[in-house]
Amino acid sequence: LVSATLEAEAEQIEGVVARSKGFFSVSQHLVSRDDLNWSLPGGNDAEGERVRLWGQPRTVHCHPEAQCLLGGSLPMFDVARAERVP
């Protein structure tokens, strides 16, 4: 890596981890299993735990025939850092 540019400050979300549409959900966002697993030790077993995540929200727009939430889009959250909340 020669250089990096910060496009936006990290946002923070907090909530209980639940399963949704093959992903995990925290707050109003979907989080990939890979993101939760690498950022939180034992992340794949975090269902039902309260967590705090830092990262960037993004919206994935789906094809009309795909089954997506909220009118053809998925509210994703790309995790940069995570911690369990007591």
Side-chain angles (χ1 to χ4, degrees), residues 27-75:
S27 186
Q28 300 289 323
H29 300 278
L30 296 176
V31 178
S32 77
R33 294 174 184 276
D34 287 342
D35 267 11
L36 199 60
N37 198 39
W38 78 260
S39 63
L40 191 68
N44 279 332
D45 298 321
E47 186 175 5
E49 295 184 32
R50 187 164 195 80
V51 297
R52 187 174 295 129
L53 307 177
W54 289 266
Q56 293 295 319
R58 66 183 167 97
T59 302
V60 175
H61 298 282
C62 304
H63 296 289
E65 63 275 1
Q67 293 184 10
C68 284
L69 301 173
L70 304 174
S73 64
L74 295 171

